[in-house]
């Protein structure tokens, strides 16, 4: 692959919205290296996009966000292979564990680990590679806000309780509510990061925003659901999107549509600022719970403490070195 002046990293860019986002970015930025990072790339997404665009600027790197050690391995490989400076980090990868509480090998509830903690560590490890006006785009979801009517209740208390729920919480909660809580974490972390970037002269020109893609039938997000639910979501619901918008909620989209909107946040010239939450391409308010600075700081401090290895790294992450 030819040398590129800068790079864009999209986690989970091998299928669904992430794939369509990556394809849109690669087409608009042919001189930028676009790296898609996921556990696997079974359909050879990078090669497929390169062939479709008659380009060679998309590349795949394996990344498993459920293991903090593997996130570190990814960052070490990025450094060793001397990737170009990072123009944008797109934290798109996500998973849903809808049943009983499941934990990663690091002892973290899986929705929380993959959807928040792995990405947070990845940011800290790659922060020194960001260009001065880099963008950080965090994919959240409208399910973080019970008032949006998606039927999920995040029940946010503290970062520790969300990451390592007590036995009583395990009994009371369900997997989809825990997924919604991980989307609360995305917003809280984005707002805490926004405040820190704004206060730092070295990072003042960076953009950090969060994105709600809406409900998207047919993506790989439900890979841990039952086979029948996966079949229904992949084969029936996408054909019903126009009807669902009329009878249920306007914020329902095909993955292609949401992918285009996500790409706009990543490379659109008019997108600037910090701490903004977008539903599609429209600015929206976040849930009341996410506006609590005390909860933002609780999550930020807990996250830095949990992902750091030793005092030196903890201090560096705290300073955004």
């Amino acid at each position: 692959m030819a040398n590129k002046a800068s790079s864009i990293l999209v986690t989970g860019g091998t299928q669904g919205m992430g794939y369509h986002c990556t394809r849109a970015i690669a087409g608009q930025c042919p001189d930028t290296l676009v790296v898609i990072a996921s556990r696997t790339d079974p359909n050879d997404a990078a090669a497929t996009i390169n062939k479709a665009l008659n380009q060679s600027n998309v590349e795949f790197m394996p990344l498993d966000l459920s293991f903090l050690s593997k996130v570190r391995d990814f960052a070490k490989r990025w450094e060793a292979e001397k990737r170009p400076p990072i123009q944008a980090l797109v934290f798109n990868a996500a998973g849903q564990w809808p049943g009983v509480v499941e934990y990663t090998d690091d002892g973290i509830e899986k929705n929380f680990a993959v959807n928040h903690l792995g990405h947070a560590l990845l940011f800290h490890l790659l922060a020194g590679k960001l260009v001065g006006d880099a963008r950080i785009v965090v994919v959240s979801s409208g399910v973080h806000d019970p008032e949006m009517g998606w039927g999920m209740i995040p029940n946010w208390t503290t970062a520790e309780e969300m990451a390592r729920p007590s036995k009583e919480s395990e009994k009371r909660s369900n997997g989809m509510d825990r997924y919604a809580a991980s989307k609360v974490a995305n917003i809280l972390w984005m707002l805490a990061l926004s405040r820190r970037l704004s206060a730092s002269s070295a990072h003042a020109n960076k953009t950090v925003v969060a994105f709600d893609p809406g409900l998207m039938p047919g993506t790989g997000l439900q890979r841990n659901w039952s086979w029948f639910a996966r079949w229904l979501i992949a084969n029936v619901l996408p054909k019903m999107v126009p009807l669902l918008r009329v009878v249920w909620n306007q914020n329902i989209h095909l993955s292609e549509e949401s992918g285009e909107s996500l790409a706009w946040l990543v490379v659109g010239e008019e997108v600037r600022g910090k701490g903004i939450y977008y539903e599609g391409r429209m600015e929206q308010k976040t849930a009341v719970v996410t506006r609590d600075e005390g909860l933002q700081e609780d999550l930020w401090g807990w996250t830095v403490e949990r992902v750091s290895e030793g005092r030196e790294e903890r201090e560096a992450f705290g300073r955004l070195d």
Side-chain angles (χ1 to χ4, degrees):
M1 180 170 293
N3 290 331
K4 303 295 182 183
S6 63
S7 60
I8 293 174
L9 172 60
V10 183
T11 66
T14 60
Q15 59 183 320
M17 177 180 68
Y19 172 87
H20 293 290
C21 170
T22 300
R23 177 167 172 156
I25 291 170
Q28 294 174 58
C29 306
D31 296 323
T32 299
L33 172 64
V34 185
V35 176
I36 50 178
S38 187
R39 291 179 306 154
T40 60
D41 187 13
N43 299 315
D44 207 357
T48 300
I49 294 172
N50 284 331
K51 183 177 180 180
L53 298 177
N54 194 27
Q55 297 175 182
S56 60
N57 62 320
V58 181
E59 192 174 300
F60 170 75
M61 288 180 65
L63 169 65
D64 190 337
L65 290 161
S66 65
F67 295 86
L68 295 179
S69 61
K70 292 185 178 180
V71 175
R72 288 182 176 275
D73 289 343
F74 177 92
K76 290 175 183 175
R77 181 181 169 191
W78 187 282
E79 173 74 25
E81 295 181 357
K82 301 187 184 305
R83 307 282 176 177
I86 300 171
Q87 177 182 329
L89 291 172
V90 188
F91 292 154
N92 161 73
Q96 286 180 348
W97 285 265
V100 298
V101 179
E102 296 184 49
Y103 293 91
T104 66
D105 287 356
D106 296 308
I108 306 298
E109 192 276 322
K110 281 190 175 179
N111 289 283
F112 191 91
V114 172
N115 301 344
H116 164 64
L117 196 63
H119 279 130
L121 174 58
L122 186 61
F123 167 79
H124 285 296
L125 294 174
L126 296 180
K129 311 297 182 186
L130 298 174
V131 300
D133 61 349
R135 296 186 192 183
I136 302 99
V137 182
V138 181
V139 176
S140 182
S141 171
V143 304
H144 87 278
D145 188 352
E147 293 185 9
M148 293 294 101
W150 293 112
M152 301 178 206
I153 310 297
N155 297 311
W156 187 276
T157 53
T158 66
E160 172 66 18
E161 182 66 17
M162 298 298 101
R164 296 187 280 213
S166 65
K167 293 299 180 182
E168 187 60 33
S169 293
E170 285 188 6
K171 295 176 184 177
R172 291 198 312 266
S173 65
N174 65 69
M176 293 311 295
D177 289 346
R178 291 189 293 273
Y179 170 75
S182 74
K183 300 288 100 179
V184 171
N186 292 153
I187 303 292
L188 290 170
W189 185 83
M190 182 275 294
L191 292 171
L193 174 60
S194 170
R195 206 161 45 250
R196 284 162 171 79
L197 295 178
S198 297
S200 168
S201 58
H203 300 291
N205 292 325
K206 289 182 173 63
T207 293
V208 56
V209 297
F211 175 64
D212 170 20
L215 177 65
M216 294 178 296
T219 71
L221 185 60
Q222 296 84 22
R223 59 185 175 271
N224 298 302
W225 290 34
S226 70
W227 71 267
F228 179 73
R230 294 198 307 271
W231 177 86
L232 185 69
I233 291 168
N235 297 285
V236 178
L237 291 185
K239 299 174 183 177
M240 298 177 62
V241 165
L243 176 62
L244 291 171
R245 285 174 178 162
V246 173
V247 302
W248 187 18
N249 195 304
Q250 284 289 314
N251 193 22
I252 301 176
H253 306 281
L254 296 173
S255 57
E256 294 92 327
E257 297 169 333
S258 292
E260 291 282 347
S261 293
L262 179 55
W264 173 76
L265 284 176
V266 178
V267 298
E269 288 296 325
E270 58 270 59
V271 179
R272 290 287 185 274
K274 298 179 181 64
I276 303 172
Y277 174 68
Y278 288 87
E279 180 184 292
R281 303 191 185 195
M282 299 292 293
E283 294 184 25
Q284 296 287 354
K285 286 185 177 180
T286 62
V288 172
V289 66
T290 64
R291 297 176 226 160
D292 186 324
E293 286 194 14
L295 294 179
Q296 294 168 20
E297 290 305 300
D298 170 68
L299 176 67
W300 181 270
W302 183 94
T303 299
V304 168
E305 184 70 28
R306 184 64 188 80
V307 302
S308 300
E309 291 185 345
R311 191 175 86 175
E312 183 177 339
E313 192 172 75
R314 185 164 56 249
E315 292 175 351
F317 288 176
R319 295 191 305 267
L320 298 183
D321 286 358

